[in-house]
Amino acid sequence: MPREKIKFALRMSPETQQLVKEMCPRDNCQTQNEFIEKAIRFYAGYVSGQEAAAYLPPALMSVLRSTVKASEDRICRLLFKLAVEMDMMMNVLAYGMEISDDTLRDLRGHCVQNVKKTNGSVTLDKAVEFQKVGV
């Protein structure tokens, strides 16, 4: 049983009507009405921003996914390398310094708060300034 349709007047420019006539066969639509209804649904989805993936061509989605994946992989590799370098630096410092457990615990607390406060934008200048004042 077909869904009930509502009939109403629609005005459009002759150029737009010609475009609809030309595009109907390309979109495998049986009627101009079907084409216009599909176009309205598409545009409504586009405007609302919901289900954006349904309106992007599969090829574009594939390219976007692979680009994001490549960036993610690169960032992970760089973070791993950075962690290795930081571990080496900490081991060199620990070998040459004698720091008490209490001082180390207090410094860790300060560093956590500093990273949170600066959103990770920590500079050597600020660390030197903090060390001059004292832990």
Side-chain angles (χ1 to χ4, degrees):
M1 185 165 142
R3 294 188 336 211
E4 185 179 327
K5 301 270 183 165
I6 298 170
K7 187 175 182 177
F8 69 97
L10 173 67
R11 293 183 186 266
M12 66 176 72
S13 69
E15 295 85 13
T16 304
Q17 185 181 22
Q18 184 60 37
L19 183 62
V20 170
K21 285 180 181 178
E22 291 172 7
M23 292 296 140
C24 271
R26 291 176 67 179
D27 195 33
N28 295 321
C29 292
Q30 300 299 317
T31 64
Q32 292 179 33
N33 193 59
E34 181 184 355
F35 181 83
I36 292 169
E37 191 170 346
K38 284 173 82 175
I40 289 170
R41 289 183 186 282
F42 177 86
Y43 188 69
Y46 171 77
V47 170
S48 70
Q50 296 175 353
E51 302 171 12
Y55 303 101
L56 293 176
L60 179 58
M61 290 293 292
S62 176
V63 168
L64 289 174
R65 280 191 185 107
S66 64
T67 301
V68 169
K69 178 73 173 133
S71 296
E72 182 181 276
D73 291 345
R74 184 169 187 274
I75 289 169
C76 288
R77 283 193 307 275
L78 290 172
L79 285 173
F80 179 82
K81 289 178 181 180
L82 180 62
V84 169
E85 294 299 319
M86 290 289 295
D87 188 42
M88 290 174 60
M89 181 179 64
M90 287 187 287
N91 276 285
V92 167
L93 283 173
Y95 180 76
M97 308 288 288
E98 290 183 21
I99 301 173
S100 71
D101 291 343
D102 291 336
T103 303
L104 189 59
R105 187 174 39 257
D106 292 344
L107 180 60
R108 181 176 310 282
H110 167 76
C111 290
V112 167
Q113 291 303 314
N114 191 36
V115 169
K116 285 181 182 179
K117 182 174 63 176
T118 63
N119 285 329
S121 180
V122 181
T123 64
L124 182 59
D125 297 338
K126 293 289 184 183
V128 169
E129 181 181 315
F130 175 76
Q131 291 301 320
K132 284 182 181 176
V133 174
V135 179

